[in-house]
Every structure is written in C-alpha cells, then in structure tokens.
Amino acid sequence: MDRRSLLKGLGAVGALASLRPASLLAASLEKVKALGVLRVGLYTDNRPWSWEEKGKPLGIDVDLAHALAEKLGVRADIALFTADEDLSDDLRNIIWRGGLLGFQPCDVMLHVPFDRQLMAREDNVTFLAPYYRESFGAACGAELGEAADCEAMPVRWKGKRIAAELDSIPDFYLLGHAGGALSKDVVHVPTGYEAVMAVGKGEADAAVASTAQIEAALHDAPDAGIVRRKGFLPAMLSPGWDIGIAVKENSRNLGFAIEEQFAAMAKDGRMKAIFARYGVEWKPALASQTA
C-alpha cells in the first residue's frame, strides 16, 4: 500500500516549502524539546488535511501539529511536501534521509497509512498513533439526488459527468466499474476535494472521493446543492484504512509521546473538535480500538 495507490498518483519529487537550518535534523523527544521546535512534514494540496492558502498552511493535520507542539512545550514548524511516486519515497525524503538540494528531514510525518505490510517493508521508520479511519463515498448534484439515482448502482450514472482525482482509487474504481461502462464519463481533477466541489459548481453530476473530502466540501459549500450518497459503493477497491504518524526509527520516544497526546485528545474531545472545524466527522482508527 503506497500513497499513489491510496490517493494521489502525483509525480514529482517532494520539496519543502522553504529552506531550514541544517542543525534541525529529525530529532528525538529530548532534542525536539532542547531546540524548541517540532518539525512536522505534511502533504500539500491535500485538503482538508493540509494545504497552503496565502502562504499559510491550513488543515486538520496542521491544527493537530500545532496542538501536539503546544503540549510538548515547543512550536510547530510545518513543512509541506508534494507527494512522490510512492510512500517509500515520501518517507525517505520527509523522515529518514531528507530530500534533494540539502533539505533536512522532519521529526514526524502525519497522515501516513497505518498498514502492517508497509510497516514490515520500511526499516528506517516507525509507524505509531493511528488517529483516524478513512473510507470512500460519493456525492451527487441535484438532478441525481432528486431522482434517487445517487443511491443506485453507479452504472446508472452512465452518460453523466463523474469527477474523480486522477490516478486515485476512486478513478480506478470508476474506470473499471461494470466492465468499464463509465470510463468515458469520468472527469479528472487534481484532488478528491475538487471533485466534490465540481459537483457544486455544476461542472460534474457526481463525484467519488474520500469521506473526509466529501464532508469538507459539503461544509465549505453548504448551499451548492451537493447531495451525499448514504450507502456504500459496491465493490469498492478499498474498504477503508487507518492513518497515523511516522518517525525515524531512532526517534521512537518522540513517537510514543505523540501517541500519548493523540490518545488524550481523543478522550477529552479535542480531536473531534479539530476535525469538526473543517466539517469532518472524526472516526477513530480501527487499530486504536484494538490495541
């Protein structure tokens, strides 16, 4: 499981938003506190999780990073990266080695798939603190919603414009659904969030995206006439996945401290409140419930 197969499918090498001092290496908990900075690596163009607006990082993961830093008694230094070809490249660039042109690694990366096969493959990274359970869904415009076709088998959308993020699981799902019956109807956009917003703008009749992307778009455009599909998508390629954090192998104590803070935030309602700011319903990771 890599980021390309999960969501993005975007090329290009990950890059930091700005140069950082060479002294700020991926650090243990003690070093983070001594430096007074927690460097957090996040994806850019990943709304509602992390994106940049007027030079300022925004999103659920950005707010989580600041909340973590505050509890550790340090400030958060947010570094936004473009997704590489696969998650292994992202982990190398962001966590354990650093990227091109001398960019230094971060102390922690958020929004990492919490997957056993991935854990077994990545020797330089430790995966901890699963904090959300993601899944996929669909949204429709007024025409499909009023006709109740939003709840029908997606093959009923044949002839309609269906938006999906390019080279993502929703894209592959739509292209292969019912033997490719919808392949000529798919409208490709850069992100799942934009796919749902395209429905609200009248540029698409339906969209398939992640649950968080759908909920965030509904929150941001409440009067756009977007109808959320209530039922599951039949034969979806992924039933859902947990997301968590990644730290360098020798920074486990930092990861454990973050895991402890996430557990406290889940218990006292802060986690739910941060998600709610962006219209997203917080769902605990399955791994956190079985741990």
mmCIF file of all heavy atoms in Angstrom, residues 8 18 21-22 65 92 97 118 134 147 154 156 164-165 193 235 255 269 271-272 275:
data_model
loop_
_atom_site.group_PDB
_atom_site.id
_atom_site.type_symbol
_atom_site.label_atom_id
_atom_site.label_comp_id
_atom_site.label_asym_id
_atom_site.label_seq_id
_atom_site.Cartn_x
_atom_site.Cartn_y
_atom_site.Cartn_z
ATOM 1 N N LYS A 8 -3.095 9.780 -4.296
ATOM 2 C CA LYS A 8 -2.611 10.841 -5.157
ATOM 3 C C LYS A 8 -2.309 10.430 -6.582
ATOM 4 O O LYS A 8 -2.887 10.948 -7.508
ATOM 5 C CB LYS A 8 -1.378 11.501 -4.529
ATOM 6 C CG LYS A 8 -1.738 12.357 -3.339
ATOM 7 C CD LYS A 8 -2.547 13.542 -3.776
ATOM 8 C CE LYS A 8 -2.875 14.442 -2.607
ATOM 9 N NZ LYS A 8 -3.739 15.550 -2.973
ATOM 10 N N SER A 18 10.248 25.780 2.323
ATOM 11 C CA SER A 18 11.368 26.715 2.420
ATOM 12 C C SER A 18 12.579 25.993 2.981
ATOM 13 O O SER A 18 12.472 24.916 3.542
ATOM 14 C CB SER A 18 10.998 27.894 3.328
ATOM 15 O OG SER A 18 10.707 27.433 4.623
ATOM 16 N N PRO A 21 17.385 25.446 8.638
ATOM 17 C CA PRO A 21 18.760 25.323 9.129
ATOM 18 C C PRO A 21 19.201 23.878 9.184
ATOM 19 O O PRO A 21 18.440 22.994 9.561
ATOM 20 C CB PRO A 21 18.682 25.943 10.529
ATOM 21 C CG PRO A 21 17.504 26.851 10.469
ATOM 22 C CD PRO A 21 16.519 26.185 9.554
ATOM 23 N N ALA A 22 20.449 23.625 8.825
ATOM 24 C CA ALA A 22 20.962 22.253 8.772
ATOM 25 C C ALA A 22 20.996 21.599 10.136
ATOM 26 O O ALA A 22 21.037 20.379 10.247
ATOM 27 C CB ALA A 22 22.370 22.262 8.167
ATOM 28 N N ALA A 65 -0.856 19.299 14.386
ATOM 29 C CA ALA A 65 0.565 19.549 14.608
ATOM 30 C C ALA A 65 0.774 20.657 15.631
ATOM 31 O O ALA A 65 1.625 20.551 16.524
ATOM 32 C CB ALA A 65 1.238 19.912 13.286
ATOM 33 N N ARG A 92 11.371 8.528 2.815
ATOM 34 C CA ARG A 92 12.801 8.810 2.698
ATOM 35 C C ARG A 92 13.059 10.313 2.665
ATOM 36 O O ARG A 92 13.930 10.824 3.372
ATOM 37 C CB ARG A 92 13.357 8.157 1.432
ATOM 38 C CG ARG A 92 14.863 8.406 1.231
ATOM 39 C CD ARG A 92 15.363 7.843 -0.077
ATOM 40 N NE ARG A 92 14.763 8.506 -1.229
ATOM 41 C CZ ARG A 92 13.899 7.928 -2.064
ATOM 42 N NH1 ARG A 92 13.530 6.667 -1.878
ATOM 43 N NH2 ARG A 92 13.376 8.596 -3.084
ATOM 44 N N ARG A 97 15.948 10.484 5.549
ATOM 45 C CA ARG A 97 17.157 10.911 4.848
ATOM 46 C C ARG A 97 17.135 12.382 4.462
ATOM 47 O O ARG A 97 18.143 13.078 4.532
ATOM 48 C CB ARG A 97 17.370 10.070 3.586
ATOM 49 C CG ARG A 97 18.776 10.242 2.997
ATOM 50 C CD ARG A 97 18.885 9.634 1.607
ATOM 51 N NE ARG A 97 18.118 10.374 0.606
ATOM 52 C CZ ARG A 97 18.055 10.034 -0.679
ATOM 53 N NH1 ARG A 97 18.674 8.946 -1.093
ATOM 54 N NH2 ARG A 97 17.337 10.755 -1.535
ATOM 55 N N LEU A 118 3.143 -2.291 5.094
ATOM 56 C CA LEU A 118 4.027 -1.137 4.970
ATOM 57 C C LEU A 118 5.051 -1.112 6.101
ATOM 58 O O LEU A 118 6.233 -0.855 5.889
ATOM 59 C CB LEU A 118 3.203 0.148 4.978
ATOM 60 C CG LEU A 118 3.962 1.475 4.934
ATOM 61 C CD1 LEU A 118 4.740 1.604 3.638
ATOM 62 C CD2 LEU A 118 2.995 2.635 5.100
ATOM 63 N N GLU A 134 -10.248 6.310 7.548
ATOM 64 C CA GLU A 134 -10.714 6.891 6.298
ATOM 65 C C GLU A 134 -11.458 5.858 5.472
ATOM 66 O O GLU A 134 -11.268 4.646 5.635
ATOM 67 C CB GLU A 134 -9.511 7.441 5.516
ATOM 68 C CG GLU A 134 -9.872 8.226 4.269
ATOM 69 C CD GLU A 134 -10.726 9.442 4.522
ATOM 70 O OE1 GLU A 134 -11.967 9.274 4.682
ATOM 71 O OE2 GLU A 134 -10.178 10.562 4.539
ATOM 72 N N ALA A 147 -33.653 12.384 -8.212
ATOM 73 C CA ALA A 147 -34.127 11.160 -8.860
ATOM 74 C C ALA A 147 -33.765 9.911 -8.075
ATOM 75 O O ALA A 147 -34.065 8.792 -8.502
ATOM 76 C CB ALA A 147 -33.540 11.060 -10.264
ATOM 77 N N PRO A 154 -23.691 2.641 -9.344
ATOM 78 C CA PRO A 154 -23.044 3.688 -10.140
ATOM 79 C C PRO A 154 -23.203 3.531 -11.646
ATOM 80 O O PRO A 154 -23.148 4.530 -12.372
ATOM 81 C CB PRO A 154 -21.578 3.568 -9.720
ATOM 82 C CG PRO A 154 -21.642 3.072 -8.311
ATOM 83 C CD PRO A 154 -22.801 2.108 -8.299
ATOM 84 N N ARG A 156 -25.737 3.292 -13.153
ATOM 85 C CA ARG A 156 -26.879 4.127 -13.515
ATOM 86 C C ARG A 156 -26.453 5.559 -13.847
ATOM 87 O O ARG A 156 -27.250 6.335 -14.384
ATOM 88 C CB ARG A 156 -27.888 4.146 -12.349
ATOM 89 C CG ARG A 156 -28.632 2.845 -12.108
ATOM 90 C CD ARG A 156 -29.873 2.729 -12.974
ATOM 91 N NE ARG A 156 -30.847 3.754 -12.631
ATOM 92 C CZ ARG A 156 -31.746 3.648 -11.652
ATOM 93 N NH1 ARG A 156 -31.777 2.545 -10.907
ATOM 94 N NH2 ARG A 156 -32.604 4.619 -11.439
ATOM 95 N N ALA A 164 -13.434 12.606 -10.461
ATOM 96 C CA ALA A 164 -12.565 11.826 -9.576
ATOM 97 C C ALA A 164 -11.143 12.340 -9.699
ATOM 98 O O ALA A 164 -10.748 12.876 -10.748
ATOM 99 C CB ALA A 164 -12.614 10.341 -9.931
ATOM 100 N N GLU A 165 -10.387 12.178 -8.630
ATOM 101 C CA GLU A 165 -8.974 12.550 -8.649
ATOM 102 C C GLU A 165 -8.212 11.613 -9.573
ATOM 103 O O GLU A 165 -8.367 10.385 -9.511
ATOM 104 C CB GLU A 165 -8.413 12.466 -7.232
ATOM 105 C CG GLU A 165 -6.955 12.833 -7.122
ATOM 106 C CD GLU A 165 -6.450 12.747 -5.698
ATOM 107 O OE1 GLU A 165 -7.273 12.781 -4.775
ATOM 108 O OE2 GLU A 165 -5.219 12.629 -5.523
ATOM 109 N N TYR A 193 -11.222 16.518 -3.138
ATOM 110 C CA TYR A 193 -11.982 17.677 -2.672
ATOM 111 C C TYR A 193 -12.493 18.485 -3.857
ATOM 112 O O TYR A 193 -13.668 18.886 -3.895
ATOM 113 C CB TYR A 193 -11.095 18.534 -1.771
ATOM 114 C CG TYR A 193 -11.730 19.828 -1.308
ATOM 115 C CD1 TYR A 193 -12.516 19.868 -0.156
ATOM 116 C CD2 TYR A 193 -11.541 21.011 -2.023
ATOM 117 C CE1 TYR A 193 -13.106 21.056 0.268
ATOM 118 C CE2 TYR A 193 -12.128 22.197 -1.605
ATOM 119 C CZ TYR A 193 -12.904 22.216 -0.452
ATOM 120 O OH TYR A 193 -13.482 23.393 -0.046
ATOM 121 N N ALA A 235 -18.475 -2.978 -4.384
ATOM 122 C CA ALA A 235 -17.204 -3.479 -4.927
ATOM 123 C C ALA A 235 -16.104 -2.423 -4.944
ATOM 124 O O ALA A 235 -15.221 -2.467 -5.800
ATOM 125 C CB ALA A 235 -17.413 -4.055 -6.326
ATOM 126 N N GLY A 255 7.741 9.506 19.020
ATOM 127 C CA GLY A 255 6.513 8.893 18.524
ATOM 128 C C GLY A 255 5.595 8.455 19.642
ATOM 129 O O GLY A 255 4.371 8.644 19.567
ATOM 130 N N GLY A 269 -12.070 15.018 23.744
ATOM 131 C CA GLY A 269 -12.880 15.677 22.727
ATOM 132 C C GLY A 269 -12.143 16.660 21.835
ATOM 133 O O GLY A 269 -12.728 17.200 20.888
ATOM 134 N N MET A 271 -9.747 16.068 19.682
ATOM 135 C CA MET A 271 -9.593 15.500 18.347
ATOM 136 C C MET A 271 -10.871 15.732 17.540
ATOM 137 O O MET A 271 -10.826 16.223 16.396
ATOM 138 C CB MET A 271 -9.283 14.011 18.446
ATOM 139 C CG MET A 271 -9.022 13.327 17.124
ATOM 140 S SD MET A 271 -7.372 13.656 16.441
ATOM 141 C CE MET A 271 -6.341 12.699 17.547
ATOM 142 N N LYS A 272 -11.998 15.415 18.119
ATOM 143 C CA LYS A 272 -13.287 15.596 17.450
ATOM 144 C C LYS A 272 -13.509 17.061 17.085
ATOM 145 O O LYS A 272 -14.010 17.381 15.998
ATOM 146 C CB LYS A 272 -14.407 15.099 18.356
ATOM 147 C CG LYS A 272 -15.792 15.179 17.748
ATOM 148 C CD LYS A 272 -16.836 14.605 18.696
ATOM 149 C CE LYS A 272 -18.230 14.677 18.094
ATOM 150 N NZ LYS A 272 -19.257 14.105 19.023
ATOM 151 N N PHE A 275 -11.381 18.187 13.991
ATOM 152 C CA PHE A 275 -11.971 17.690 12.752
ATOM 153 C C PHE A 275 -13.229 18.477 12.399
ATOM 154 O O PHE A 275 -13.475 18.797 11.227
ATOM 155 C CB PHE A 275 -12.294 16.198 12.888
ATOM 156 C CG PHE A 275 -11.140 15.282 12.621
ATOM 157 C CD1 PHE A 275 -10.079 15.200 13.508
ATOM 158 C CD2 PHE A 275 -11.109 14.486 11.486
ATOM 159 C CE1 PHE A 275 -9.006 14.343 13.272
ATOM 160 C CE2 PHE A 275 -10.051 13.631 11.236
ATOM 161 C CZ PHE A 275 -8.994 13.572 12.132
#
